[in-house]
């Protein structure tokens, strides 16, 4: 049987990176100072709410008319805004100390927001807290709604913000829109790719770094929302985050590695010319992927031994997620060096190289998701705190 470039599981460092569960989000406490008056929360005519075809069912939001990349789809005042806290008790105390709980209870818009599966992990966790704190049903309902429907505020991630309509948008790892949740003023939904009338408007629940990770790791992270993503990226035979440059030097195509569990007859092929790389090339790719994964796991201690092979890998396979991880780490490292350097010319050179690395890392992410607009793909969701995953 021919060698197939596929997902290597826990027997390699790369497998560890693919399979390790991602960290969850901290809970958040409310801050009512940025909220608009209740009458400012109003339906937005550019979208409508309807049953979704996405995994997990439930409602989604659909475009009433077409949008092009960069256009605003809708604006909406926050229903709830909460500042970051560590425990459910802290969140509860902050809710009681503000006017937001009453506001949430009186809003009919809050009733259609997802609260998780009745027997899901979060429902059980919050129910246990409620048993220990009887008489707090309304607060508990608001806290559970926030756990599934809030967005991280920009620019400093100080708050989580929940909207009556925008928070009903379903997830896709290939989203056609993003949500901007400012700390002051209305939130905004912006088009990322062409949307036709009647299309479902989707966003990414994952942060940008999570969105650039292989499908198995994305699925691990998405478990906190209690569904399995079936978007086109997750359903594809090839993993678009593990792309190797076509061995034909005249071709600009990419050869995505096969994701775990694909049919035996599936083959690795270039997405441009259709060429199937020889077994020897696929084995070489697999070995280099493992090597680079191990070197990246050793950062920052392995920096100088990792620099040359990682730079070579990123040059040879600029659309591979490990290339993006190396470039993002390099950008951070060069920026740090620039801040510690006194020579103005050297500072300027280091910052220029850091900017180049950051742009290249961002292009790596955009290549996977298929979006070229210079807007973040997501603003809520998860960013893992595990440095071995982030580099």
């Amino acid at each position: 049987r021919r060698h197939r470039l596929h997902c290597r599981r826990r027997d390699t460092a790369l497998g560890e990176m693919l399979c390790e569960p991602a960290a969850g989000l901290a809970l958040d406490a409310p801050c009512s100072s940025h909220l608009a008056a209740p009458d400012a929360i109003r339906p937005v005519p550019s979208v409508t709410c309807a049953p979704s075809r996405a995994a997990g069912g439930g409602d989604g939001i659909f475009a009433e008319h077409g949008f092009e990349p960069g256009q605003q789809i809708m604006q909406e005042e926050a229903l709830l805004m909460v500042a970051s806290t560590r425990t459910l008790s802290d969140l509860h105390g902050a809710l009681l100390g503000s006017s937001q709980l009453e506001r949430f209870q009186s809003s009919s818009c809050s009733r259609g927001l997802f609260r998780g599966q009745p027997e899901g992990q979060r429902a059980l966790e919050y129910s246990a807290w409620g048993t220990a704190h009887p008489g707090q049903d309304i607060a508990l309902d608001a806290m559970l709604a926030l756990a599934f429907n809030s967005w991280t505020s920009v620019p400093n991630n100080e708050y989580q913000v929940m909207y009556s309509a925008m928070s009903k948008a379903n997830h896709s790892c290939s989203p056609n829109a993003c949500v901007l949740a400012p700390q002051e003023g209305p939130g905004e939904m912006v088009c990322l790719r062409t949307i036709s009338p009647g299309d479902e408007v989707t966003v990414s629940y994952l942060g940008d770094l999570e969105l650039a990770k292989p499908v198995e790791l994305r699925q691990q992270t998405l478990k906190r929302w209690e569904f399995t993503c079936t978007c086109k990226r997750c359903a594809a035979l090839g993993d678009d985050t593990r792309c190797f440059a076509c061995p034909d030097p005249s071709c600009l195509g990419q050869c995505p590695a096969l994701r775990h569990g694909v049919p035996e007859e599936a083959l690795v092929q270039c997405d441009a010319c259709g060429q199937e790389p020889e077994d020897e090339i696929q084995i070489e790719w697999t070995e280099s992927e493992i090597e680079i994964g191990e070197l990246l796991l050793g950062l920052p201690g392995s920096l100088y031994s990792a620099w040359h092979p990682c730079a070579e890998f990123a040059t040879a396979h600029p659309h591979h997620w490990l290339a993006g991880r190396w470039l993002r780490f390099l950008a951070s490292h060069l920026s740090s060096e620039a801040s510690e350097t006194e020579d103005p010319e050297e500072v300027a050179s280091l910052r220029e190289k850091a900017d180049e690395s950051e742009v290249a890392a961002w292009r790596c992410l955009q290549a996977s998701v298929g979006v070229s607009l210079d807007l973040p793909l997501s603003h809520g969701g998860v960013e893992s705190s595990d440095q071995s995953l982030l580099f």
Side-chain angles (χ1 to χ4, degrees), residues 55-77:
D59 287 341
I61 59 176
F62 294 80
E64 289 286 289
H65 53 82
F67 298 95
E68 292 300 322
Q71 288 186 323
Q72 182 189 93
I73 297 173
M74 60 187 291
Q75 269 192 330
E76 188 176 18
E77 299 290 349

Side-chain angles (χ1 to χ4, degrees), residues 69-291:
Q71 288 186 323
Q72 182 189 93
I73 297 173
M74 60 187 291
Q75 269 192 330
E76 188 176 18
E77 299 290 349
L79 178 62
L80 286 178
M81 180 176 285
V82 297
S84 180
T85 60
R86 299 298 300 176
T87 68
L88 285 174
S89 293
D90 288 344
L91 174 58
H92 175 254
L95 278 169
L96 293 183
S98 71
S99 60
Q100 295 192 75
L101 192 56
E102 180 179 350
R103 172 193 179 90
F104 175 82
Q105 182 185 12
S106 63
S107 171
S108 60
C109 300
S110 67
R111 295 168 194 161
L113 294 171
F114 183 61
R115 267 78 163 178
Q117 304 298 335
E119 299 301 320
Q121 180 180 348
R122 284 189 177 269
L124 296 175
E125 175 189 348
Y126 282 50
S127 177
W129 184 91
T131 300
H133 302 81
Q136 303 299 326
D137 293 350
I138 296 173
L140 193 61
D141 184 53
M143 292 155 65
L144 196 55
L146 281 166
F148 285 96
N149 300 285
S150 58
W151 293 87
T152 303
S153 68
V154 291
N156 298 319
N157 303 326
E158 294 181 13
Y159 301 93
Q160 284 181 250
V161 191
M162 187 166 70
Y163 301 96
S164 57
M166 292 194 300
S167 288
K168 293 180 181 177
N170 284 307
H171 167 82
S172 171
C173 296
S174 182
N176 56 23
C178 69
V179 170
L180 308 173
Q183 294 177 188
E184 296 185 12
E188 180 182 17
M189 180 175 279
V190 179
C191 178
L192 290 177
R193 65 179 84 240
T194 299
I195 297 174
S196 300
D199 284 352
E200 181 168 5
V201 179
T202 59
V203 296
S204 173
Y205 294 177
L206 304 178
D208 296 339
L209 296 180
E210 294 287 342
L211 201 60
K213 292 177 181 177
V215 58
E216 287 85 2
L217 196 53
R218 296 201 306 273
Q219 296 286 6
Q220 286 278 6
T221 307
L222 288 168
K223 285 182 179 179
R224 73 175 301 273
W225 284 278
E226 300 178 4
F227 74 96
T228 299
C229 183
T230 57
C231 73
K232 64 180 183 181
R233 288 186 66 202
C234 292
L237 296 180
D239 190 335
D240 59 15
T241 68
R242 299 176 59 224
C243 284
F244 296 87
C246 179
D248 182 350
S250 66
C251 179
L252 299 179
Q254 302 293 317
C255 302
L258 299 177
R259 63 181 176 83
H260 183 70
V262 301
E264 287 293 319
E265 62 270 18
L267 300 174
V268 175
Q269 291 180 307
C270 174
D271 59 12
C273 68
Q275 176 181 342
E276 180 189 348
E278 296 293 331
D279 285 357
E280 293 76 11
I281 293 176
Q282 294 192 43
I283 292 171
E284 180 181 336
W285 285 346
T286 300
E287 291 174 348
S288 66
E289 188 179 49
I290 294 169
E291 177 192 3

